Amino acid sequence: MAGTGKHFAVARSTSSVVAFLSLLALFSAFLLFYYVRYSSSSRCLLISDSLDAPLHLSKGGPDPIPPAEYSFLASLEKFLATRATPSGSPGVAAASEGDAPSAAVKALDDSIWKEEAERLYGEPMDPWSSPSVVRVYVYEMPPKFTYDLLWLFRNTYRETWNLTSNGSPVHRLIEQHSVDYWIWADLIAPESERLLKNVIRVHRQEEADLFYIPIFTTISYFLVERQQCKALYREALKWVTDQPAWRRSGGRDHILPVHHPWSFKSVRRFMKKAIWLLPDMDSTGNWYKPGDVWLEKDLILPYVPNVDFCDAQCLHDSQSKRSTLLFFRGRLKRNAGGKIRSKLAAALHNSENVVMVEGSAGETGKATAQAGMRKSLFCLSPAGDTPSSARLFDAIVSGCIPVIVSDELELPFEGILDYRKIALFVSSNDAVQPGWLVNFLMNVDSKQIIEMQNNLAKYSRHFLFSSPAQPLGAEDLAWRMIAGKLVNIKLHMRRSQRVVEGSRNLCTCECRTGNITRVP
């Protein structure tokens, strides 16, 4: 009996261990399933953990995602061939004038409150409750603001190589500022074709964090006759501001693409509370007025590069060919802050191993600029008419270390990326002194040069727009930046909704005197 009891105790102990291990295995399987199912949408990917991760495409399954297309023209051709032009939607019917608040605005406000309450008090493991996921409602505006403008560009771009008054090809300017196309095309793509999981398109306004306004302001500015363009802008303004969602928030949760500094200029002051997609802040005040733009609400996005992306093999092949110390090819006569270009040209005149020449962005210019950048260690990036310049991003994707001479420049994605790792910043006062810049570059340590070149190879992907939009690409980082602004956007929106007449008016960013970044 003692032996049997002992055997029984061992058996019971063994069965307990087996049961425990079985439960542990089931629990591990559940955790693995949950991680695979939800991690991509519910967790914010840390940029420091993923800079070395290679670009990859989704494989397997019945409908593999096609290779990324980085050419604006090629992507647009495919987009227009596969997307049927809708008849246009009038949007949500606007309530009659004088209602305060209107029935439509109040109904939407109540619905949004219910949705937000469910997220706040609902299941904490639900990926929809994650603050890293941005939910965007895309307005279906009449085709005259969207598809008709894309078709206008597509049908005429071969004829738009004419130059603007400052010598820039219209065709290339539209491509450089085509961020409105890339953002919109990704948002409205079928979910099965999208790679980004940190932004979700929703089809019910009460589910939305933000509202996207799909109007192609750059195309309309350059290709539509001036008076017709102004009329089109006024129509777009009325259409958007009549929407209950706009009236509810004053536009604070709406995204407006105005990436070219001349675009939408005649009416955008009426939409200054919206989130603007910009190339920079323009401290001169010539293009973006003080009080209209500020970093707390607006988003700076890169220009679309004019040159081809120099991939890992290209960088390896060009490494030994970088015999030019400093390179610049572009317009030497610019307005406002860009006047420094002519001063730099004078200061660098006849400098050994320096190329600084006049040139435009046409096909010949593209080939010449691309070849020059791939043969140079450093690429000069001075201010243009505004503090930014497309040549900064041309240099980055060419593996050429940018030398930035633009004292008031604000940079895209700077909340995520550290530009000191890939670029040199030089004050304008120093740079225009004869011989100073060449001497400065000649004394940059060779180890620092190699380190910065390696970082350029990692960073360059962040400045590429593509279809489908890629993880860590420009669209991805744009939504990460916007996600970081959401709490502050909702703070100002809700505060504006509850402040009573005659209450103390606290100063906000809107009453700042200028756009200049001040560092204490």
Side-chain angles (χ1 to χ4, degrees):
M1 289 294 293
T4 303
K6 184 177 180 180
H7 175 74
F8 176 77
V10 171
R12 184 170 59 184
S13 175
T14 303
S15 63
S16 298
V17 171
V18 172
F20 173 78
L21 291 176
S22 299
L23 287 172
L24 182 62
L26 286 172
F27 182 71
S28 300
F30 170 79
L31 288 179
L32 180 61
F33 168 80
Y34 182 84
Y35 179 85
V36 172
R37 174 67 178 86
Y38 293 127
S39 62
S40 62
S41 62
S42 62
R43 295 185 304 118
C44 183
L45 184 64
L46 295 176
I47 202 78
S48 60
D49 295 336
S50 52
L51 282 174
D52 295 320
L55 292 173
H56 64 277
L57 301 175
S58 176
K59 296 182 179 180
D63 297 309
I65 295 175
E69 178 56 69
Y70 297 95
S71 164
F72 173 66
L73 294 177
S75 175
L76 181 60
E77 288 284 354
K78 181 179 179 182
F79 177 88
L80 292 174
T82 57
R83 300 279 194 279
T85 303
S87 58
S89 167
V92 179
S96 61
E97 294 294 332
D99 292 346
S102 71
V105 173
K106 186 177 186 307
L108 179 59
D109 191 55
D110 290 343
S111 297
I112 289 176
W113 178 83
K114 290 179 181 178
E115 288 287 336
E116 292 182 341
E118 287 182 9
R119 292 180 204 163
L120 182 62
Y121 300 113
E123 172 55 52
M125 304 305 287
D126 180 1
W128 272 68
S129 67
S130 171
S132 64
V133 177
V134 180
R135 303 156 191 84
V136 181
Y137 182 88
V138 182
Y139 281 125
E140 292 186 12
M141 298 181 72
K144 67 171 71 175
F145 304 116
T146 55
Y147 288 91
D148 290 356
L149 291 173
L150 291 179
W151 278 109
L152 175 62
F153 175 82
R154 186 265 180 197
N155 293 335
T156 61
Y157 76 84
R158 292 182 180 87
E159 304 167 7
T160 57
W161 291 101
N162 55 304
L163 303 181
T164 64
S165 59
N166 62 16
S168 300
V170 168
H171 172 241
R172 281 302 305 148
L173 280 173
I174 291 173
E175 287 192 59
Q176 286 176 358
H177 296 280
S178 61
V179 300
D180 46 11
Y181 164 77
W182 294 108
I183 296 286
W184 180 64
D186 178 65
L187 281 173
I188 68 171
E191 197 61 33
S192 60
E193 298 177 11
R194 298 185 68 250
L195 295 176
L196 302 187
K197 302 303 180 185
N198 59 341
V199 58
I200 299 172
R201 180 190 181 187
V202 297
H203 297 275
R204 297 168 59 231
Q205 293 194 7
E206 56 265 32
E207 295 177 346
D209 295 312
L210 299 168
F211 296 80
Y212 187 82
I213 305 170
I215 177 171
F216 294 100
T217 57
T218 302
I219 294 177
S220 53
Y221 176 81
F222 282 107
L223 299 186
V224 177
E225 188 274 330
R226 184 175 182 180
Q227 294 305 317
Q228 291 180 343
C229 183
K230 287 185 175 181
L232 187 72
Y233 288 168
R234 288 193 296 270
E235 286 187 61
L237 173 67
K238 185 178 188 313
W239 192 97
V240 173
T241 56
D242 277 349
Q243 301 302 310
W246 177 279
R247 297 177 66 183
R248 171 182 175 268
S249 68
R252 290 177 177 84
D253 54 359
H254 284 56
I255 299 174
L256 176 68
V258 283
H259 198 264
H260 192 280
W262 298 339
S263 65
F264 219 55
K265 195 173 182 181
S266 59
V267 300
R268 65 190 182 201
R269 67 184 181 277
F270 300 110
M271 306 177 77
K272 65 181 181 179
K273 293 179 182 177
I275 304 161
W276 289 7
L277 305 184
L278 304 167
D280 58 46
M281 290 283 130
D282 176 30
S283 60
T284 67
N286 290 329
W287 313 112
Y288 302 113
K289 298 300 182 183
D292 288 357
V293 295
W294 59 86
L295 285 174
E296 285 82 354
K297 77 170 181 72
D298 298 318
L299 184 68
I300 298 171
L301 293 179
Y303 291 69
V304 175
N306 182 48
V307 299
D308 297 331
F309 171 50
C310 189
D311 59 18
Q313 186 61 50
C314 166
L315 290 172
H316 179 268
D317 294 342
S318 65
Q319 206 64 24
S320 60
K321 301 175 183 178
R322 296 187 181 272
S323 55
T324 301
L325 177 68
L326 181 64
F327 178 84
F328 174 85
R329 186 180 190 280
R331 306 300 298 179
L332 295 180
K333 293 182 179 180
R334 301 301 256 176
N335 298 315
K339 292 179 180 178
I340 194 175
R341 292 189 179 189
S342 57
K343 297 179 181 180
L344 286 168
L348 293 169
H349 184 63
N350 288 333
S351 296
E352 185 179 356
N353 225 10
V354 172
V355 176
M356 188 166 186
V357 295
E358 179 82 17
S360 64
E363 280 302 308
T364 303
K366 171 183 174 179
T368 304
Q370 180 169 296
M373 287 184 170
R374 294 184 181 184
K375 293 179 182 178
S376 305
L377 279 178
F378 301 100
C379 285
L380 189 62
S381 179
D385 288 344
T386 63
S388 66
S389 169
R391 277 151 194 83
L392 169 60
F393 308 103
D394 291 347
I396 290 173
V397 301
S398 299
C400 186
I401 300 171
V403 180
I404 298 175
V405 187
S406 182
D407 299 338
E408 307 301 340
L409 177 63
E410 301 292 354
L411 294 161
F413 317 137
E414 199 164 10
I416 299 173
L417 306 177
D418 186 350
Y419 282 84
R420 297 173 302 172
K421 304 298 183 183
I422 61 169
L424 298 173
F425 293 85
V426 178
S427 86
S428 298
N429 290 335
D430 289 336
V432 297
Q433 302 302 316
W436 188 94
L437 189 56
V438 171
N439 183 62
F440 170 74
L441 296 177
M442 290 290 291
N443 284 284
V444 177
D445 186 76
S446 59
K447 291 182 179 179
Q448 182 181 358
I449 292 175
I450 294 173
E451 182 180 352
M452 296 180 84
Q453 288 175 332
N454 291 337
N455 288 333
L456 279 171
K458 297 176 183 179
Y459 273 50
S460 58
R461 75 181 75 175
H462 307 316
F463 304 97
L464 297 176
F465 293 90
S466 65
S467 179
Q470 299 291 299
L472 298 183
E475 298 94 333
D476 186 10
L477 266 60
W479 291 114
R480 293 177 190 230
M481 290 292 293
I482 288 176
K485 298 175 184 287
L486 264 180
V487 171
N488 199 46
I489 290 168
K490 291 186 177 182
L491 182 153
H492 285 285
M493 183 177 67
R494 289 168 180 164
R495 182 179 178 279
S496 70
Q497 292 169 332
R498 59 89 177 161
V499 168
V500 298
E501 184 177 355
S503 64
R504 183 164 53 98
N505 183 23
L506 297 177
C507 180
T508 67
C509 299
E510 295 178 40
C511 57
R512 288 183 179 174
T513 57
N515 301 325
I516 298 175
T517 298
R518 294 178 175 84
V519 180

